[in-house]
Amino acid sequence: MISVMTPTMDQRTERRLTLVARGGFVVSGLLHVIIGVIAARIGLGSSSGEASSAGALGSIAQNPFGQVALWVAVVALVALGAWYLFTAYQDGRDGAAGGLASATGDPKDTARNARSAITNAAKGITYLVIAGTAFTYATGGSSSENQKANDITATVMGFPGGRWLIGAVGLTVLIVGGYHVFAGVTGKFLEALRNLPEPPAGRAVRVLGHVGYVAKGVALGVVGVLFVIAAVQADPDDAGGLDQGLRTLGEQPFGAIILVVVGIGFVAFGAFSVVRARYTDV
């Protein structure tokens, strides 16, 4: 837990930012629930929507008070992204655990802080990107995650060594997906939670986390593979976002069943994220 965010930030400001950042977990959870429902409906053949953050935000925009909800989402996601980036900054400084910049710290602590800094920075950037998509819908625009991924991939491939960079991105996403599966199977995600309720409520939270992390990890793994394929074949159309990854799962043998199961897993992850807003260590 961060007790003092900066030397000049008072505790009242810190509490306010913490409260809004927790709201970001709620927003993220609700988006995952909507993505899961869309994915399951695609598997059942009853939806043509985009199973991604953009698709979920678009669904929110179509409902009464949707614009208000989107502006709330923008604020909460920006706060959560800023929180993770500041945490990454803190991890990158020398401190009680040795610190990334400390020359005299324990090498193990330094390495641990380095990994934490990179992970939290990636999370912060991810939430800010989603916040940007929410802002697009809140201001009356629209977005397609698949098209955006294809366009960015095509642009990067035009650079020297661009295919290698896209391949590296794919491998990184694949590793992140693998870590989600690992965290789901081993329960490592519980390390970020504090004071879970007693069973049966606490047990239910754990089950949601186990199922949700594995499901999201599988989906991210497929997205990573798509980027690697795009790099190998030099075809940006092979790359895609979460929606394309889920649809690729649906094209496999028993794909409809797999997609429904993964969709249920995303709903579980979303529910876990909402609960995490209360019990996460921030």
Side-chain angles (χ1 to χ4, degrees):
M1 180 179 293
I2 301 173
S3 57
V4 179
M5 294 191 64
T6 70
T8 59
M9 183 174 289
D10 58 34
Q11 292 183 351
R12 181 181 301 177
T13 302
E14 180 184 355
R15 285 195 298 269
R16 289 174 178 172
L17 180 58
T18 299
L19 179 62
V20 181
R22 290 185 187 277
F25 282 114
V26 175
V27 172
S28 175
L30 294 176
L31 292 180
H32 278 86
V33 169
I34 296 173
I35 292 171
V37 171
I38 294 174
R41 292 185 61 193
I42 292 174
L44 296 172
S46 60
S47 175
S48 58
E50 183 174 312
S52 66
S53 296
L57 291 165
S59 298
I60 293 174
Q62 296 171 6
N63 289 287
F65 305 106
Q67 295 301 113
V68 175
L70 287 171
W71 281 113
V72 172
V74 170
V75 173
L77 290 169
V78 167
L80 186 57
W83 180 273
Y84 272 118
L85 288 177
F86 187 83
T87 302
Y89 167 74
Q90 288 246 358
D91 288 333
R93 296 170 57 190
D94 55 329
L100 179 62
S102 175
T104 60
D106 187 326
K108 292 183 179 180
D109 289 335
T110 301
R112 186 183 305 111
N113 278 8
R115 290 194 299 269
S116 181
I118 294 171
T119 299
N120 286 322
K123 289 179 180 179
I125 293 171
T126 298
Y127 281 115
L128 290 180
V129 169
I130 299 175
T133 304
F135 178 81
T136 298
Y137 279 98
T139 54
S142 61
S143 177
S144 170
E145 186 176 293
N146 288 335
Q147 188 58 51
K148 188 180 298 184
N150 291 343
D151 291 344
I152 293 175
T153 302
T155 300
V156 173
M157 280 188 177
F159 300 149
R163 288 175 62 184
W164 288 100
L165 181 58
I166 293 300
V169 169
L171 289 175
T172 301
V173 175
L174 184 59
I175 291 171
V176 172
Y179 177 80
H180 273 72
V181 174
F182 169 78
V185 172
T186 63
K188 190 173 180 59
F189 61 88
L190 293 170
E191 294 179 1
L193 303 181
R194 295 293 182 272
N195 302 318
L196 282 176
E198 295 296 326
R203 185 180 299 113
V205 171
R206 290 178 173 83
V207 170
L208 289 173
H210 285 298
V211 174
Y213 267 82
V214 171
K216 185 171 182 178
V218 169
L220 288 175
V222 175
V223 173
V225 170
L226 291 177
F227 272 95
V228 172
I229 292 175
V232 172
Q233 299 185 353
D235 186 354
D237 290 337
D238 286 332
L242 181 59
D243 177 73
Q244 189 163 331
L246 289 170
R247 291 180 185 275
T248 299
L249 279 176
E251 294 170 357
Q252 307 310 308
F254 305 103
I257 296 175
I258 295 174
L259 202 50
V260 170
V261 171
V262 172
I264 293 173
F266 264 76
V267 172
F269 187 90
F272 172 81
S273 295
V274 172
V275 174
R276 182 180 180 182
R278 166 64 178 82
Y279 296 104
T280 195
D281 185 25
V282 296

